[in-house]
Amino acid sequence: MSAPEAQLERPRQVVFDALRVASPSGFTEELRRAFVNERLNLKFANLDMDSLGRMEFCIAVELATGASLLPSQLLELASTDAVEQWLRQALA
Amino acid sequence: VSASSRLEREYRLYRRRIARCRTENQINRVHIALGSYMTPFEVRYFDAALERDDPGSISRAWFTDFMRLMPLRQLRQAEFERRGVLKGLSIYSAQLGSPEQKTLLICFAGNFHRLGLPSSTLLDCLDPALYDVIILRDLSLRVFSWGIPGLGEDFFTTVAALRRYVDLSAYRNSITLGTSSGSLPALLAAILLETDRGIYINGTDLPQFAAYVKSFGVSDAPYAEALARRPEPFPDLLLVYSGQHAEDAGAAKALHERVPSRLLGVANCGTHGVLGWKLTKGRLPSFLSRLLGQKVESHQLAATAETE
């Protein structure tokens, strides 16, 4: 929770914030640091995120950007880099 | 206002709210929120009302799911009714029996403002004649360190303010229960309120919790002081962890070294959401009986073993 969030570019910040809401136990401090400092590409399968978590993730993304990423789409995207790429296209 | 007219009004409000939703995420958001607050009686009413809907509607799918997630689905002599005192505080009680015949269960919700389950699932397991339930929600997502609006501006004033809403001493016994980020707050509340029992389920150890609290601009010192308190009699503290989840098991075992408590490892469970896992195994009511140390359907004592 103390990772330097302010340094993130917009799509990555949205993903970071959504992960904090959607996977409070899976998105550990260690992963947060690696996500910010090492641009780690996280696989959703490794984040202890259940179906409710995926819905919360999509809701957080929509609230932050207005872009409607659906839980069924999220299952296909599989990783944080893929979501970032999807967001860049959706917001372009 | 009769229960049926109140429910019909709630249902109409729900339909209007859903009609305003423009995206699937908006609809999901409404239902996730409902899942955190509704009683079994409300879920049954909405589910029955939705039978007139298109079988493929999202609303029907959600309420079919809420129904499926209630393991007992028993009609009760009197049903739990929700008193929505504050957004972060709900009191569930039936108009049946008196506090001296009941157990007061004070719950600290974790992720998504729930106890790893919809509120209707938890309440469905409990006999309303024997239990009153309070659910506290950490709306600021700050592990309760910023308190609950309307109740207290930090964790400690929030816990103390609970006495404004409920007389703990009037009850037969009282138990706190917390899951995930609500676990350590539940344990501390058991010590501060001097309840009979405190149940921690897959939470964090004090140092990690203290780091969270400090990152929110809150002093961690009062938390360590509260955990070091030893009121007499000391509550029976039960630390529950998923046996195959290394992080949760490590946290519970480390916390066990800091405070007089009993450990309960759930064998073969590798998921953080242990109550949901028990539900899928068809053993949620019996597991809750073991956690509470008494049956969910009677005051008969239930044993708590070292492993589950």
Side-chain angles (χ1 to χ4, degrees):
Chain A
M1 295 194 178
S2 54
E5 303 147 42
Q7 295 172 12
L8 296 171
E9 55 175 328
R10 174 73 172 148
R12 198 158 179 81
Q13 179 71 57
V14 170
V15 173
F16 182 94
D17 292 340
L19 283 174
R20 289 206 316 186
V21 172
S23 182
S25 55
F27 194 39
T28 61
E29 184 62 26
E30 191 182 359
L31 287 180
R32 286 184 189 116
R33 286 184 191 287
F35 184 82
V36 172
N37 299 326
E38 299 157 31
R39 284 204 59 86
L40 187 67
N41 180 25
L42 294 169
K43 306 286 182 207
F44 288 108
N46 299 331
L47 281 170
D48 210 4
M49 194 187 287
D50 58 12
S51 59
L52 187 63
R54 285 193 292 277
M55 286 180 199
E56 289 280 8
F57 183 92
C58 294
I59 289 166
V61 168
E62 185 171 305
L63 286 174
T65 67
S68 281
L69 172 66
L70 301 181
S72 54
Q73 287 175 289
L74 184 61
L75 273 176
E76 289 169 16
L77 292 174
S79 75
T80 52
D81 276 4
V83 173
E84 274 185 64
Q85 196 179 345
W86 182 92
L87 257 178
R88 280 198 185 87
Q89 287 172 353
L91 299 176
Chain B
V1 182
S2 72
S4 62
S5 64
R6 182 177 52 78
L7 281 169
E8 186 54 34
R9 200 178 60 222
E10 284 178 11
Y11 179 70
R12 284 200 304 268
L13 188 66
Y14 159 74
R15 296 303 297 234
R16 284 201 298 273
R17 182 73 185 79
I18 290 297
R20 288 204 302 271
C21 291
R22 293 290 169 261
T23 69
E24 184 179 319
N25 288 326
Q26 289 174 356
I27 293 173
N28 287 341
R29 192 177 183 211
V30 170
H31 289 99
I32 291 170
L34 288 175
S36 303
Y37 287 88
M38 289 183 95
T39 66
F41 191 47
E42 288 171 318
V43 166
R44 287 199 303 269
Y45 185 91
F46 278 43
D47 182 63
L50 284 163
E51 278 184 5
R52 299 187 291 266
D53 258 38
D54 178 341
S57 82
I58 298 183
S59 290
R60 273 192 76 168
W62 269 98
F63 277 90
T64 300
D65 227 33
F66 287 146
M67 287 292 285
R68 184 180 58 78
L69 295 174
M70 294 200 295
L72 302 180
R73 290 194 287 272
Q74 281 185 24
L75 294 177
R76 305 289 189 172
Q77 188 185 347
E79 299 274 359
F80 278 115
E81 291 179 27
R82 174 168 39 83
R83 194 146 57 87
V85 179
L86 300 163
K87 204 172 172 190
L89 163 70
S90 301
I91 299 176
Y92 298 91
S93 182
Q95 293 178 8
L96 181 70
S98 58
E100 61 262 30
Q101 297 166 317
K102 291 182 177 181
T103 295
L104 176 65
L105 190 57
I106 304 170
C107 300
F108 290 76
N111 306 344
F112 316 131
H113 311 313
R114 54 176 69 189
L115 295 145
L117 302 161
S119 51
S120 51
T121 302
L122 175 74
L123 296 171
D124 179 64
C125 297
L126 302 171
D127 184 342
L130 303 177
Y131 290 88
D132 279 353
V133 179
I134 291 177
I135 298 183
L136 298 162
R137 302 179 185 87
D138 175 32
L139 300 174
S140 62
L141 303 180
R142 298 290 187 275
V143 291
F144 290 97
S145 65
W146 287 9
I148 292 176
L151 201 58
E153 60 189 20
D154 61 38
F155 171 70
F156 297 95
T157 54
T158 294
V159 169
L162 277 176
R163 294 189 190 280
R164 287 208 308 261
Y165 293 97
V166 66
D167 177 8
L168 272 76
S169 65
Y171 281 86
R172 181 178 180 274
N173 57 348
S174 56
I175 297 172
T176 64
L177 182 152
T179 58
S180 194
S181 56
S183 292
L184 198 51
L187 213 64
L188 294 169
I191 296 171
L192 294 167
L193 295 170
E194 301 183 16
T195 61
D196 298 277
R197 179 174 287 219
I199 304 166
Y200 157 112
I201 303 175
N202 281 342
T204 52
D205 186 18
L206 185 64
Q208 190 188 357
F209 190 85
Y212 287 160
V213 164
K214 278 194 285 190
S215 75
F216 303 139
V218 176
S219 169
D220 60 319
Y223 291 88
E225 287 164 18
L227 196 66
R229 282 188 59 188
R230 296 291 179 265
E232 285 287 343
F234 194 69
D236 179 13
L237 301 184
L238 185 63
L239 311 182
V240 183
Y241 63 93
S242 298
Q244 302 299 312
H245 195 291
E247 195 178 346
D248 288 338
K253 288 172 184 172
L255 188 58
H256 178 60
E257 297 298 319
R258 299 180 199 281
V259 65
S261 53
R262 292 181 297 124
L263 281 167
L264 176 62
V266 180
N268 303 318
C269 179
T271 181
H272 183 65
V274 66
L275 295 181
W277 186 80
K278 282 287 181 185
L279 178 69
T280 62
K281 303 287 176 193
R283 297 201 295 267
L284 182 63
S286 60
F287 183 61
L288 283 174
S289 292
R290 298 187 75 170
L291 299 189
L292 299 170
Q294 60 193 40
K295 303 277 186 178
V296 287
E297 294 285 347
S298 74
H299 285 312
Q300 200 182 336
L301 293 180
T304 306
E306 290 298 308
T307 56
E308 169 69 26

